[in-house]
Amino acid sequence: MTLTGGPDTKLELKNGWTSKMILNNFILFGAANSVDNFGMNSLSIDFNGTQNDLKTPSGHNKNAALYLLKCSHITVQNVKVLNNPGQQSLSIGSTDKNGNFLATDIKINGCSFINNTDAFPGNKQNDHSSIYLVADKAIVTKNNFVSGDKISKVATAIEAHTSNSVFSYNTITNYSTGINIVAIVGDQVNSSFDHNTITNVNSAFVFWGNGGYRMAGIKLLNNNITQAYSNDPIIRMSKTMKIYCLGLEIMGNSFTGKGNVNTKSAITGLVGNCIEIGLVKDVLIRDNKFNNINGRAVTLVNQGFKMNRIAILNNTFDNINVGGNPRYNKIIQLKSSGEIDSISIE
């Protein structure tokens, strides 16, 4: 089944929900059966956040335009989700109690997500992911994300609980976090994040891992990233990681920091580093451009663990430690009380 609109088709929530349910979704499929071969095409869905914001912190209202738990071969194309004060705009997929994916073969292409959460003054929602995806074999490409006219303090464009997936050529603007890369409800294996343009964010990529799941073979390739403020690193793999990542490639990216802002991160306690690597066995940082970084370009933040290889090759560093903080007067700091088998800096 494909739900298709025309060039002017809009579904709009005018003024208030008809019930007080926590899951206020436009299109909802329950978990009793699998949804297969469903498409959603050429629709605008307007949650009218000015009239329908959350007045009290009473939970996380999803407000999803499409909410699926168990599904396969789902295509969402040319869909616009506007003015969403809730928690998620597309919520697709889940895992079973053993961490096996219940969603596979998901395509999200050419969609737009405009105005979320704190774009509406007084909205009490404190967590938002425009795309919340838990799936194997997903392709998320050429989508446009604009959290609001100002930089969000709470919103994430994409939360990826995925394996064997590609996230490419997306444009992300004014979000607190560009993309969360997560292994806390299932494995995160063999996913690529490439050719994305991520502008005016706090962090571009944040890694999360816990619960005995696997993370391996993650590639961040040819992304263009500009930071809006620098409370956190542009790439953060530090205190949010409780498991090892077995292989991380950071190649061909352009990083432009905010610079000259000596505000400490509430999470790491550090100031404005570009890349903070933590629990990773092998990491390759190659052919990247670093500019106007407030602290260090690359730093190793976790202590007392075993790493196999760190390779930092053929990168360009301009204007590092522009904040002038003497604690951060190194371009690269690899300091560990654990073991590192191999370090190459060329």
Side-chain angles (χ1 to χ4, degrees), residues 4-12 14 41-46 78-80 82:
T4 303
D8 300 317
T9 301
K10 178 186 282 190
L11 306 176
E12 183 175 358
K14 284 293 188 181
N41 186 28
S42 300
L43 288 171
S44 291
I45 298 174
D46 191 341
N78 298 326
V79 169
K80 295 180 180 179
L82 311 173

Side-chain angles (χ1 to χ4, degrees), residues 90-130:
L90 294 179
S91 182
I92 300 176
S94 60
T95 56
D96 64 17
K97 63 181 181 180
N98 296 316
N100 299 308
F101 288 110
L102 300 179
T104 185
D105 295 286
I106 312 298
K107 295 181 180 179
I108 303 172
N109 177 52
C111 296
S112 295
F113 304 86
I114 312 297
N115 294 337
N116 309 293
T117 51
D118 46 356
F120 308 103
N123 186 35
K124 300 300 183 182
Q125 178 64 270
N126 61 5
D127 178 42
H128 175 88
S129 297
S130 293

